[in-house]
């Protein structure tokens, strides 16, 4: 049927599950048709995906008024604006837990939409460039609509490892002991009677927004490489390191790019998303295997990989996010997790999601899954933002996503703070001395010293002053102290 015909299955109040994880393998035509229908009919849906969608789908849905609630992650600027204006409810969720809420019925899926490369004779589905929450959506949904993407070669079959997590109380170990261990099937089993519509399209994934590294991200990458080299010298790591996890974006690509020109070898990855830098490391021979839930790459990299998928079948695997983000597997494998932050405070608490404590950026994604369970948990950020008007290191974070207990390393272009084995007061000195920009270093040190002298405690703070930097930013447009004097 056509996408417009499939849109007639959607009813007001439904909870809808869709494939898609950071643009990879997202549904591309059915939800757009739903958005068109919502322009003339009352239609308010709750939408559950793996992560973010591409092709402006989230924007089209929210602008047409089709959405009441969205989870567990998004990156769309239009959607973000409506979330922060209170027009759209958003549930920011650990990606490793979203499948659990589908399985336990908290989000019962009325209708699921999945993109696939083909439907086999037995009715099973061959996913495309992501798996995300597809397995749980298929299991939970009362009805399914399938989008068949004819641009995906059918020989993509074989790169997926589909595994069903059992219900609580009956759950067995997820028996992944090495990065390349496969424990499931190549396809998603489905009851064909659930399928109410099949829609064909020929639309490729939206290319990843791959931004070139700048001086700050290059410096961050160099600081991390130096840290790894020191860990090797001290016998805590080998030249193969441990399995790597990297968040998405410019910083992550710069970090992985820095490894390409290093002495490290036989690297492996256990992450959420395969990016350009992953395939560059594979093609250079530096990385021998990579596991994730999705691939989100530039057009050049997409063509290189998809058109030569047979060359990568022994080097990559895509899994459900309930597996890629499983705390059990992350801890067993000893992952080195590298994720980005909006701001950190002097004790190592991290804000990944909320600008000035109130306005959602994108979401926590999988960073919490990895930070809590990693062998080494690293958070990276530029020391300043907005031309120096914002310090990314502050007295107290305005919103806490990751507590100091889950943060081992903080890195900026200024340097690296190794917080392992340090008490809070020691952490503060390490972070201020190594990670803070010179424009803010003196004031931050003064705050810490006064907090110790005047208030004391295990984690000294002057509460009435702790958020003064954020207040100053709101009032003057800058966290710099002189901006407040200029205003007065």
């Amino acid at each position: 049927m056509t996408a417009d015909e499939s849109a007639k299955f959607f009813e007001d109040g439904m909870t809808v599950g869709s494939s898609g994880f950071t643009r990879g393998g997202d549904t591309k035509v059915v939800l757009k048709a739903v958005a068109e229908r919502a322009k003339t009919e009352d239609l308010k849906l709750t939408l559950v995906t793996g992560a973010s969608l591409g092709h402006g789908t989230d924007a089209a849905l929210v602008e047409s008024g089709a959405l009441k609630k969205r989870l567990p992650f998004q990156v769309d600027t239009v959607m973000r604006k409506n979330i922060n204006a209170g027009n759209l409810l958003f549930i920011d969720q650990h990606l490793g837990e979203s499948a659990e809420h589908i399985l336990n019925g908290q989000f019962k899926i009325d209708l699921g939409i999945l993109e696939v490369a083909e439907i086999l004779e037995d009715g099973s589905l061959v996913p495309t460039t992501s798996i995300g929450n597809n397995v749980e959506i298929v299991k939970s949904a009362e009805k399914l609509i399938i989008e068949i993407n004819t641009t995906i070669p059918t020989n993509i079959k074989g790169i997926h490892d589909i595994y069903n997590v059992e219900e609580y109380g009956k759950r067995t170990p997820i028996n992944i002991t090495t990065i390349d261990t496969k424990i499931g099937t190549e396809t998603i089993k489905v009851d064909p009677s659930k399928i109410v519509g099949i829609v064909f399209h020929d639309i490729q994934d939206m290319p990843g927004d791959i931004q070139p590294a700048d001086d700050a991200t290059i410096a961050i990458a160099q600081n991390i490489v130096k840290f790894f080299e020191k860990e090797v010298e001290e016998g805590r790591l080998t030249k193969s390191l441990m399995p790597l996890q990297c968040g998405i974006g410019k910083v992550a690509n710069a970090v992985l790019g820095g490894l390409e020109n290093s002495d490290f070898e036989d690297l492996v990855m256990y992450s959420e998303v395969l990016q350009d830098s992953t395939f560059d490391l594979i093609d250079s021979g530096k990385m021998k295997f990579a596991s994730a839930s999705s691939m989100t790459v530039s057009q050049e990299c997409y063509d290189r990989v998809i058109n030569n998928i047979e060359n990568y079948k022994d080097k990559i695997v895509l899994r459900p996010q309930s597996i890629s983000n499983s705390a059990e597997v992350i801890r067993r494998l000893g992952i080195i997790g590298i994720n980005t932050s909006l701001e950190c405070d002097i004790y190592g608490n991290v804000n990944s999601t909320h600008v000035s404590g109130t306005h959602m950026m994108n979401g926590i994604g999988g960073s919490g899954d990895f930070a809590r369970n990693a062998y080494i948990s690293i958070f990276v950020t530029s020391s300043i933002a907005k031309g120096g008007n914002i310090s990314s290191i502050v007295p107290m974070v305005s919103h806490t996503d990751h507590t100091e207990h889950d943060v081992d390393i903080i890195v900026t272009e200024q340097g690296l703070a190794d917080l392992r084995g340090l008490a809070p007061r020691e952490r503060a000195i390490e972070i201020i001395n190594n990670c803070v920009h010179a424009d803010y270093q003196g004031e931050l040190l003064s705050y810490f010293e006064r907090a110790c002298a005047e208030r004391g405690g295990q984690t000294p703070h002057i509460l009435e002053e702790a958020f003064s930097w954020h207040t100053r930013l709101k009032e003057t447009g800058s966290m710099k102290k002189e901006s407040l004097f200029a205003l007065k």
Side-chain angles (χ1 to χ4, degrees):
M1 62 179 62
T2 66
D4 288 340
E5 289 170 336
S6 73
K8 296 176 182 178
F9 286 99
F10 292 78
E11 298 176 8
D12 186 43
M14 274 187 168
T15 296
V16 175
S18 172
S19 66
F21 193 111
T22 58
R23 300 180 178 180
D26 60 326
T27 55
K28 300 175 174 66
V29 293
V30 172
L31 287 176
K32 286 285 189 70
V34 172
E36 283 299 312
R37 182 183 156 202
K39 291 179 179 179
T40 58
E41 299 180 40
D42 289 333
L43 201 60
K44 288 290 186 182
L45 307 173
T46 294
L47 177 62
V48 184
T49 60
S52 55
L53 303 176
H55 295 285
T57 299
D58 272 329
L61 287 167
V62 73
E63 285 181 323
S64 69
L67 290 187
K68 173 185 178 182
K69 188 178 293 183
R70 179 76 166 89
L71 66 151
F73 187 81
Q74 60 78 43
V75 298
D76 188 272
T77 54
V78 174
M79 178 166 281
R80 182 184 305 134
K81 181 179 178 180
N82 279 270
I83 290 169
N84 290 320
N87 300 327
L88 173 66
L89 299 174
F90 178 65
I91 300 176
D92 184 24
Q93 215 169 40
H94 294 297
L95 297 188
E97 293 185 355
S98 56
E100 305 286 3
H101 294 284
I102 298 173
L103 289 175
N104 68 23
Q106 184 175 343
F107 289 100
K108 173 63 178 173
I109 306 298
D110 298 301
L111 181 59
I113 323 120
L114 267 64
E115 180 186 87
V116 305
E118 64 175 334
I119 304 175
L120 301 184
E121 289 183 11
D122 65 357
S124 62
L125 310 174
V126 179
T128 58
T129 53
S130 77
I131 299 179
N133 283 322
N134 292 6
V135 176
E136 291 75 21
I137 290 171
V138 164
K139 188 174 181 179
S140 172
E142 294 182 4
K143 298 177 182 179
L144 292 170
I145 296 172
I146 306 300
E147 290 189 7
I148 297 182
N149 189 340
T150 59
T151 70
I152 301 291
T154 55
N155 66 344
I156 198 171
K157 179 177 176 287
I159 72 165
H160 310 98
D161 185 33
I162 310 300
Y163 181 81
N164 284 277
V165 176
E166 299 94 341
E167 63 183 84
Y168 282 120
K170 300 178 181 179
R171 188 163 297 183
T172 56
I174 300 172
N175 197 26
I176 296 176
T177 55
T178 61
I179 301 304
D180 56 354
T181 303
K182 290 188 176 183
I183 59 173
T185 61
E186 294 180 344
T187 61
I188 301 175
K189 303 299 181 182
V190 61
D191 177 358
S193 67
K194 287 187 174 186
I195 299 176
V196 296
I198 298 173
V199 180
F200 286 82
H201 71 76
D202 58 357
I203 304 170
Q204 290 185 351
D205 287 345
M206 185 177 177
D209 184 16
I210 309 301
Q211 300 178 9
D214 54 26
D215 291 343
T217 53
I218 291 172
I220 290 170
Q222 291 171 341
N223 290 335
I224 292 177
V225 169
K226 289 176 184 176
F227 166 73
F228 287 157
E229 291 171 344
K230 183 180 178 183
E231 291 293 290
V232 172
E233 288 176 8
E234 297 184 1
R236 287 189 288 269
L237 291 174
T238 69
K239 282 198 170 184
S240 298
L241 303 177
M242 296 291 278
L244 299 168
Q245 175 264 334
C246 238
I248 60 172
K250 181 167 62 175
V251 174
N253 273 294
V255 170
L256 293 179
L259 292 173
E260 188 173 350
N261 301 313
S262 70
D263 292 330
F264 301 110
E265 57 193 15
D266 293 329
L267 300 172
V268 295
M269 172 175 282
Y270 191 85
S271 195
E272 300 165 286
V273 182
L274 306 182
Q275 303 178 82
D276 282 35
S277 49
T278 306
F279 290 102
D280 291 342
L281 285 169
I282 290 173
D283 291 343
S284 70
K286 282 284 185 181
M287 182 169 286
K288 61 181 183 180
F289 200 86
S291 169
S293 189
S294 169
M295 56 177 283
T296 301
V297 293
S298 67
Q299 187 64 54
E300 181 278 326
C301 188
Y302 184 92
D303 294 339
R304 185 198 338 159
V305 174
I306 295 298
N307 294 336
N308 301 281
I309 195 66
E310 290 293 339
N311 296 336
Y312 293 94
K313 281 190 174 180
D314 62 343
K315 300 178 181 68
I316 64 172
V317 62
L318 297 182
R319 311 181 192 271
Q321 68 195 69
S322 56
I323 307 302
S324 67
N325 290 53
S326 164
E328 170 194 344
V329 179
I330 293 167
R331 184 153 296 209
R332 178 185 300 126
L333 295 177
I335 306 299
I336 297 174
I338 306 172
N339 290 284
T340 57
S341 65
L342 290 177
E343 63 181 6
C344 310
D345 69 25
I346 58 176
Y347 296 111
N349 300 290
V350 169
N351 172 13
S352 295
T353 57
H354 284 71
V355 177
S356 292
T358 58
H359 282 56
M360 172 60 63
M361 180 58 72
N362 298 325
I364 195 169
S367 58
D369 300 319
F370 287 92
R372 181 68 183 90
N373 300 289
Y375 172 65
I376 302 176
S377 173
I378 301 173
F379 279 91
V380 301
T381 181
S382 296
S383 65
I384 54 175
K386 299 296 182 184
N389 287 320
I390 295 176
S391 173
S392 299
I393 312 293
V394 293
M396 181 183 285
V397 287
S398 55
H399 174 91
T400 305
D401 291 295
H402 314 282
T403 72
E404 60 183 282
H405 313 290
D406 300 332
V407 180
D408 296 320
I409 311 289
I410 290 177
V411 191
T412 71
E413 81 285 358
Q414 302 295 321
L416 180 146
D418 186 347
L419 309 180
R420 296 173 297 176
L422 301 184
R425 295 189 186 213
E426 295 173 305
R427 283 171 164 246
I429 295 298
E430 181 77 4
I431 292 170
I432 293 170
N433 286 344
N434 291 288
C435 298
V436 180
H437 192 276
D439 288 355
Y440 295 95
Q441 199 169 39
E443 187 183 354
L444 206 51
L445 182 60
S446 171
Y447 172 86
F448 171 66
E449 290 174 342
R450 287 183 292 110
C452 291
E454 298 172 17
R455 303 297 167 85
Q458 163 75 356
T459 308
H461 269 302
I462 305 172
L463 289 181
E464 63 271 26
E465 193 179 324
F467 295 122
S468 61
W469 293 31
H470 298 90
T471 304
R472 199 182 304 160
L473 175 65
K474 179 177 174 54
E475 292 176 352
T476 71
S478 176
M479 287 184 174
K480 292 180 179 177
K481 203 165 189 177
E482 54 266 30
S483 64
L484 186 60
F485 295 146
L487 183 67
K488 292 179 178 179

